[in-house]
Amino acid sequence: MMTFDSKIQAALTERREKGLQRDTQIFSRLTNNQIEQSESYSVVDTSPYVNFSSNDYLGLASDPELISVWQQGLSRYGCGSGASPAVTGLSIAHQNLQAKLCEWLGYSRAVLFNSGFSANQALLFTLLDKYDHVIQDKLNHASLIEAGMLCPASMSRFKHNDVNALSGKLAALSHTQTKLVVSEGVFSMDGDISPLAELAYQCQKYEAWLAIDDAHGIGVLGESGGGTTELLAIKPNILIVTFGKAMGLSGAAILCDENTGDFLSQFARHYVYSTAMPPAQAHTISHAISMTQQQQWRREKLVELAGIFADSLSSFSEYRATDTAIKPWICGESQQAMDLSEYLKHRGLWVGAIRPPTVPANAARLRITLNTSHSEQQISALVRGITQYYQSGHERKVSSRGRY
Ligand SMILES: Cc1ncc(COP(=O)(O)O)c(C=O)c1O
């Protein structure tokens, strides 16, 4: 019989041997785009790195105005909510946030969760039963794919952003099955945008509901930062937004109609049986939304920085053009991505390597993310670092002999 100890050991050994081990690293945060490693683990020394790996796209996480709003919120509401939403956990701060989200994104209900992961799981576990079918984009986030596999409904996956593949799968399903199509607005590892109008058309044609997780689009895209759905003027039946990325905080909301909102608040176990987010946090998220809506300059700055990045690097085969703050740099081999990441670290630039199973086999990459608070000089330093890596032939040394 296999013991838990031997099972755990085998899994850890396999991960290490495949070179896929994730090492947790501890940072102290300096300004919004600078990070410093703790002294217990250091690649070179403890001098600060420019952070090109954060999802804090608008630079709000350490914005002084937002910090002071959170401090005021703490004085006004105390630290924690003290209970789940179904008991006494919801405050006027939560109610204001729900109303603000509904008004901004054009829905009648917003149901709050402590994370995007739990919002996605709650949605699929609560909505789907064994008579239903869920169809997901192949590159959807782990929280969605896992919930689709574990929920009682049947699940299929369509080729990434391929509307014909989706259409074929929908056409093959029985008319009697209730269908849910799930995609992301902006894909987290590729930074590309889903073809929402075409997805919505297919859903209408086959009487399916459409759910869009816009974790990486909200704040970054659209005139008011309303995300991919605002940019493309599409209203899916369900919209999931998260607050841990461009909003600079954490938490999430499911936007939906009245009945679906009532249904989720009654039956979603991640909602009913979990302590509500702290009211001061809800209060601060409302303010982050106002800043996002009003401060168009943050999105304009991202576009400018992306232009500098593209002008200098678009001739490389590893470069992928995107209209978002996520700039994947596709290295292929895991070792190559790790090596480039390390090379950049030696130049004070922190860009994490993303390897399988987070991305498909042979698609290891640097996931470069731009941030409103990056300076043009910092983008130029990144461009120089990447260019010098290839000019000096490091990548050839790695592919022919392993690590140099
Ligand atoms: C597309 C997508 N959905 C959901 C999540 C989970 O959100 P959270 O970090 O709030 O749990 C992530 C986070 O990486 C994500 O990329």
Side-chain angles (χ1 to χ4, degrees), residues 16-76:
R16 227 180 350 260
E17 282 175 358
K18 286 186 174 163
L20 298 179
Q21 176 148 311
R22 300 168 202 262
D23 293 318
T24 306
Q25 292 168 37
I26 310 296
F27 297 98
S28 34
R29 223 156 266 278
L30 302 175
T31 64
N32 26 12
N33 60 36
Q34 301 239 312
I35 49 175
E36 195 173 69
Q37 271 190 305
S38 88
E39 284 173 29
S40 59
Y41 177 87
S42 168
V43 178
V44 194
D45 56 31
T46 55
S47 48
Y49 297 93
V50 182
N51 187 0
F52 285 101
S53 285
S54 140
N55 296 321
D56 175 28
Y57 305 121
L58 298 182
L60 288 178
S62 53
D63 186 280
E65 180 180 327
L66 204 57
I67 292 169
S68 95
V69 167
W70 200 328
Q71 287 162 341
Q72 288 156 16
L74 285 169
S75 306
R76 195 184 305 173

Side-chain angles (χ1 to χ4, degrees), residues 83-231:
S84 80
V87 185
T88 58
L90 280 198
S91 69
I92 187 79
H94 296 89
Q95 194 182 41
N96 290 342
L97 172 57
Q98 289 163 354
K100 197 165 185 79
L101 283 163
C102 289
E103 198 196 335
W104 185 28
L105 301 169
Y107 286 81
S108 26
R109 289 292 292 276
V111 184
L112 300 177
F113 291 84
N114 284 311
S115 72
F117 200 101
S118 62
N120 282 342
Q121 299 244 312
L123 176 70
L124 268 57
F125 285 135
T126 315
L127 195 59
L128 297 168
D129 64 34
K130 66 178 176 183
Y131 304 107
D132 304 332
H133 188 87
V134 56
I135 310 186
Q136 303 211 41
D137 187 291
K138 275 211 160 147
L139 295 191
N140 275 357
H141 189 256
S143 53
L144 293 164
I145 299 295
E146 188 199 62
M149 288 190 307
L150 298 179
C151 77
S154 54
M155 177 170 85
S156 52
R157 296 163 74 180
F158 63 96
K159 192 169 159 226
H160 176 53
N161 275 351
D162 185 333
V163 179
N164 288 334
L166 170 65
S167 178
K169 295 219 181 268
L170 282 166
L173 290 170
S174 141
H175 288 300
T176 58
Q177 263 180 314
T178 315
K179 306 163 197 75
L180 177 70
V181 173
V182 187
S183 177
E184 294 182 21
V186 170
F187 284 85
S188 55
M189 292 298 142
D190 291 80
D192 53 344
I193 298 176
S194 73
L196 282 197
E198 291 83 352
L199 296 189
Y201 173 78
Q202 293 300 328
C203 287
Q204 198 177 25
K205 183 170 167 192
Y206 292 100
E207 297 180 340
W209 265 23
L210 178 61
I212 296 296
D213 172 354
D214 207 20
H216 297 273
I218 194 75
V220 175
L221 299 176
E223 185 69 23
S224 75
T228 318
T229 58
E230 182 184 39
L231 178 76

Side-chain angles (χ1 to χ4, degrees), residues 222-241:
E223 185 69 23
S224 75
T228 318
T229 58
E230 182 184 39
L231 178 76
L232 301 175
I234 296 297
K235 185 178 173 190
N237 304 82
I238 309 267
L239 175 65
I240 303 106
V241 294

